[in-house]
Amino acid sequence: MVDMDKKYDPKRTEAKWYPFWVNNGYFEATTQGERNGDPFSIVIPPPNVTGRLHLGHAWDVTLQDIIARQKRMEGRDMLWLPGMDHAGIATQAKVEAQLKEKGQSRHELGREKFLDVSWDWKEEYANFIREQWATLGLSLDYTRERFTLDDGLSNAVREVFVRLYEKGLIYRGKYIINWDPTAQTALSDIEVEYKEVEGAMYHMKYPLKNGEGHIEVATTRPETMLGDTAVAVHPDDERYQALIGETVILPIVEREIPIVADDYVDREFGSGAVKITPAHDPNDFEMGERHNLPRVLVMDEAGIMNENAGDYRELDRFDCRKTIVRDLQETGTLFHVETHMHAVGHSERSGAVVEPYLSTQWFVDMKPLARAAIDLQKEENEKVHFVPPRFEHTYLQWLENIRDWCISRQLWWGHRIPAWYHKETGEMHVGKEAPTDIENWEQDEDVLDTWFSSALWPFSTMGWPDEAEDLNYFYPTNVLVTGYDIIFFWVSRMIFQGLEFTDERPFQDVLIHGLVRDAEGRKMSKSLGNGVDPMNVVEQYGADALRFTLATGTSPGNDLTFQWDKVTANWNFGNKIWNASRFALMHMEGMTHKDIDLSDVTATADRWILTKLQRTISHVSQMMDRYEFGEAGRALYNFIWDDVCDWYIEMAKLPLYGENEKEKQTTRSVLAHVLDETLRLLHPFMPFLTEEIWQHLPRDGETITRAPWPKANERWVDEEALNDMELYQTVIRTVRNTRAEMDVAPRKAIPLHLKPTSEDAKERLLRGQPYIENFCHPETLEISMDLEVPEQAISHVLSGVELYIPQAGLIDIEAELARLQAEKEKMDKEVERLDQKLANEGFVANAPADVVEKERAKHADYVEKRKTIVEQINELAKNN
């Protein structure tokens, strides 16, 4: 074990306990022996196998580990099953980039060899993730680790696909989808990020075939005009009544296209006429269906103009835009260009501008599945409970407006779609297994969206569709912890798939957290270079400091601002606990758990700390059950730092260094008990530090991980001790503050006079006299209701007592008055200077807002300081 006589070093402590956690076997899902019928299971968002964990994922798993550790200590059969996601698009992109560096491509390798390389990648990076899990101290059941391409999970994916297909909820068709020209794959709607981009609106004239004028249209993507197959106007637009049914000549292409009437057209926008490109716009596709218009695709899957683009063939889509704009301007067809801010879709994975693209894909009919999920939320006892509740509205709003889900991806890495096409007849076979005469069939080349398999995670990892023991025991799960950014990607899909295939909600609670932002409030991203690697934080400060920072930095649902000074503060907190524990353990040498005796606790400080402990246990347990980890952590921080370290340990020194053996033994027992219970409360937050210290305590058990969660005991709640200590602390704080204000050294002996306002207060103060003397260092201490108020004394009227500190001999009043007067004059000058500066309209109007605000803050600070100085001068002058 680590020598606790040495300075606190979190990295050394963690190195000791790393193998213990991973290999000892304490993290099997259930307790030893038979299952006790009280299961608790957590759904972990599986990280993808493309590299290191980011800070947001570290936040995810920290909160989950806190829950897991607490529930395990409560005696629950705790299952926290780890796993990883194959992350189709991201992983394939990484592997292809690696091949490119070697001068290879996946097409040169072929599908099978490429998949072999991808599996090698998976194994390499999965090991990195496991190491990071262990570094963070995650109490996962490593024996049950799963991967979304495991055989069992793949079987579940095929089962779900076939059942949905047979039910008519999966279909294949040619529709406009979101296309990523860089990754060259389809995307679902929620894989598209919309960004405000400054573009242009191009206004053009399409000449009427009859030569009697033209019709004006506008577009932000002039390159798609090559695929126009109609112009649409509103049927009630009087301007165009006579033109409906006529034709125009499509410029450049010189193709005749009709003018049709459609209610979709907004006659108040622009000219009231719109071009229709059914193969390159989802709304145009729908209009094309209604009017039986041809679909002309003018670019290929890489965003390169194809043979239908005529002279623009083989140009990149954006180069084509520039060229076609120039050509249209030369002919007068393009007569006006205006700057236009609009939302442009970008691929969530590659960052490429998404192209609406006509393509044959597989889809899930979402309306029936979404309806079941919506109906579930109407049943209070059956619904999925969002924490905080406001995210339920976000979730339901998305379900109410849901569109069919494009699930096919043009990749090789992933679950291949279980559909085969007959080589001669074109007949399609969908099934869990290939047709028996496989030589006559070809399997669909596409794979499924990664989220299709991730949506099955809560039950597929437990053995579904088989009647598995884990599934029957641990499903449905209790809680999912995740960020609000994947409510649509993952949470919603797990819910509707869980309902469809298990008839139950997949989890009872969804604890939602926000995003991790930098100190300036910006989202962490590679482009800004403001990301923080959690492993770097651990390397510098240890996992406990990082975990405590992530757990207590905000409340559920809100973003977390990552600041290094907070990590430093939490490292200092760990150091405070370490040093306090070292002191306590010095007085427990040779002590065993059986030696702890709390049968006769009489000292006020002992009764007080036991009372504060019970209050802390109750509050922390309540906050933990409500997932208010920030509040729980703050309560622990305040109890440990203030009550235990700053007050109780200092008060415990009186009996510990005294001659009364009975008092000494009782205080040792109280100290051991309080430290034991406190470490248990803190353990889910700071597992490394608490385990190390707990191993040195006179403990009952092999590991704090299995130690029972503390329960508040009303037997130890003593209101009298609380009131007494509140009185003593008020007196002590007042004396300390007075010393500070008068610039008197903390240990300089001073006369102290206390005049109780009642007999009860007098008795309480007399009981607390040893504490007051120990903390206030009085030269003399008088406690009397008949106290004669000393002359020239600093006085304070407190609850239950009047406090007097004579100034005679304490300070040189004349010198102190002179010092304060000089300080006041200095403040006067600063206030006057800032008054003039802030009265200068030029400065206030032209200086940066933050500079002006800082000057105002300085002004307020100086005014407040001057006020305090004046009060001190008046108090001294009154007694001089």
Side-chain angles (χ1 to χ4, degrees), residues 218-242:
T219 182
T220 58
R221 298 189 299 152
E223 68 276 9
T224 63
M225 68 169 289
L226 303 171
D228 287 358
T229 54
V231 171
V233 297
H234 194 278
D236 298 329
D237 193 330
E238 296 179 358
R239 294 171 294 177
Y240 300 116
Q241 291 294 308

Side-chain angles (χ1 to χ4, degrees), residues 235-387:
D236 298 329
D237 193 330
E238 296 179 358
R239 294 171 294 177
Y240 300 116
Q241 291 294 308
L243 296 180
I244 296 173
E246 295 292 329
T247 60
V248 296
I249 304 299
L250 181 61
I252 296 178
V253 182
E254 299 297 319
R255 182 169 64 238
E256 293 183 20
I257 58 176
I259 299 174
V260 300
D262 197 286
D263 289 331
Y264 170 78
V265 179
D266 180 0
R267 51 186 158 173
E268 303 301 324
F269 182 77
S271 67
V274 297
K275 59 192 279 302
I276 304 177
T277 320
H280 290 276
D281 183 277
N283 297 313
D284 290 6
F285 177 85
E286 297 296 332
M287 283 195 284
E289 290 288 283
R290 290 194 289 272
H291 298 285
N292 197 29
L293 298 174
R295 307 163 185 166
V296 179
L297 201 61
V298 297
M299 65 181 73
D300 66 16
E301 295 173 347
I304 304 300
M305 308 308 289
N306 64 18
E307 63 277 3
N308 292 325
D311 293 341
Y312 303 97
R313 182 180 180 179
E314 298 186 1
L315 284 178
D316 171 82
R317 54 183 171 155
F318 298 119
D319 291 335
C320 178
R321 178 180 301 177
K322 296 174 185 175
T323 305
I324 208 168
V325 164
R326 183 194 63 211
D327 293 348
L328 290 170
Q329 286 175 323
E330 288 177 356
T331 62
T333 300
L334 177 57
F335 66 92
H336 179 58
V337 180
E338 61 178 314
T339 300
H340 178 64
M341 292 296 297
H342 60 141
V344 177
H346 290 72
S347 170
E348 187 254 347
R349 290 296 185 187
S350 72
V353 173
V354 169
E355 189 67 39
Y357 196 73
L358 182 65
S359 180
T360 300
Q361 302 288 340
W362 289 89
F363 298 86
V364 176
D365 180 359
M366 288 303 305
K367 289 291 190 291
L369 298 172
R371 179 49 52 193
I374 292 169
D375 291 342
L376 175 74
Q377 296 307 105
K378 298 173 183 176
E379 303 294 332
E380 187 62 32
N381 294 328
E382 301 297 327
K383 68 188 289 187
V384 173
H385 297 274
F386 284 79
V387 182

Side-chain angles (χ1 to χ4, degrees), residues 481-495:
V481 182
T482 193
Y484 60 63
D485 54 328
I486 58 172
I487 290 177
F488 308 143
F489 281 102
W490 193 45
V491 179
S492 61
R493 288 167 174 170
M494 283 190 287
I495 293 173

Side-chain angles (χ1 to χ4, degrees), residues 452-467:
F452 191 92
S453 53
S454 296
L456 316 181
W457 188 259
F459 53 91
S460 65
T461 53
M462 295 189 201
W464 187 93
D466 298 330
E467 286 293 320

